[in-house]
Amino acid sequence: MQTTHTQLEVIYTAEQIAERVVAMGAEISRDYAGERIILVGVLKGASIFLSDLARAITLDCTFDFVAISSYGRGLRSSGAVKLIKDLDHSIEHRHVILVEDILDTGLTLAYLRGLLLQQEPASLRIATLLDKPARRLQKIEADYVGFSLPNLFVVGYGMDYAERYRNLPNICLMPPEAPEE
Ligand code: IMP
Ligand code: MG
């Protein structure tokens, strides 16, 4: 039988997420006061977070997106990180915030950070909605973190399990024994 959305345990409610994202937007707006910034979202997981975060930022702000190779169909990383979609516009001399759903092992963001730094932005910071510090394999930290959580696999608010559950308004726990259809 398929796991339905309603059977999943809620970790962060839509209200808790909204409150945190507004606070993050306010912090970014203060830190970059008077500057123009570019938010670079990592598709597809960060798309919902980016769209809410952008609306909580009161600066002159544009978006761009990159996509990297999939995390794999299941709960585990393939380990390989590959760029599938590059930036549409140059970020040279621009203030960039890389926007991600989850900072987990750090492989994805370490790779993307290296790639973006080659373009010599004026500055580069990282905003992640979730951080799982215990899982880190690469030495990388985010400048803006929504919530830190232990080693749990979560879905919803953009985050998926085999491409499903991205549309859940809450962030929910994905049980490890969940069937893959
Ligand atoms: P990292 O390279 O291990 O830091 O992987 C980060 C990426 O793995 C995130 O952008 C997510 O796409 C995916 N990921 C890591 N943990 C989870 C999770 O709990 N749920 C859904 N996706 C996850
Ligand atoms: Mg992702």
Side-chain angles (χ1 to χ4, degrees):
M1 207 180 79
Q2 219 170 288
T3 311
T4 65
H5 288 183
T6 48
Q7 286 169 329
L8 298 177
E9 182 190 331
V10 175
I11 308 270
Y12 300 110
T13 64
E15 290 72 24
Q16 288 172 315
I17 299 165
E19 191 181 324
R20 196 61 203 106
V21 172
V22 163
M24 292 173 86
E27 193 184 347
I28 289 169
S29 304
R30 278 195 302 276
D31 290 355
Y32 290 87
E35 305 283 357
R36 289 171 60 204
I37 63 171
I38 304 183
L39 302 180
V40 174
V42 185
L43 293 173
K44 303 168 218 166
S47 58
I48 292 180
F49 173 44
L50 185 143
S51 61
D52 283 344
L53 183 65
R55 283 175 288 180
I57 292 174
T58 53
L59 308 168
D60 186 343
C61 162
T62 56
F63 314 154
D64 207 337
F65 291 95
V66 290
I68 46 109
S69 61
S70 145
Y71 200 67
R73 253 185 73 79
L75 298 182
R76 251 170 291 280
S77 170
S78 62
V81 180
K82 192 177 116 209
L83 195 73
I84 290 170
K85 187 220 165 287
D86 206 342
L87 295 168
D88 291 338
H89 302 286
S90 167
I91 54 166
E92 195 181 355
H93 308 318
R94 302 291 308 273
H95 293 292
V96 177
I97 302 180
L98 193 46
V99 179
E100 178 58 308
D101 53 358
I102 305 189
L103 177 51
D104 188 29
T105 64
L107 293 171
T108 306
L109 283 178
Y111 169 80
L112 285 174
R113 182 178 60 180
L115 210 67
L116 297 190
L117 284 174
Q118 287 175 10
Q119 288 200 23
E120 302 190 354
S123 69
L124 178 63
R125 285 186 182 173
I126 293 173
T128 188
L129 179 65
L130 302 180
D131 186 12
K132 297 188 205 171
R135 294 256 310 159
R136 211 72 94 243
L137 296 175
Q138 286 276 335
K139 197 172 153 24
I140 184 162
E141 295 308 325
D143 302 280
Y144 305 98
V145 175
F147 302 99
S148 277
L149 76 168
N151 183 15
L152 301 171
F153 198 89
V154 294
V155 294
Y157 196 72
M159 291 166 284
D160 74 310
Y161 172 70
E163 295 298 330
R164 296 174 60 202
Y165 307 109
R166 293 193 196 275
N167 61 322
L168 295 183
N170 304 313
I171 295 175
C172 299
L173 181 65
M174 194 73 214
E177 69 278 11
E180 270 207 44
E181 280 174 43

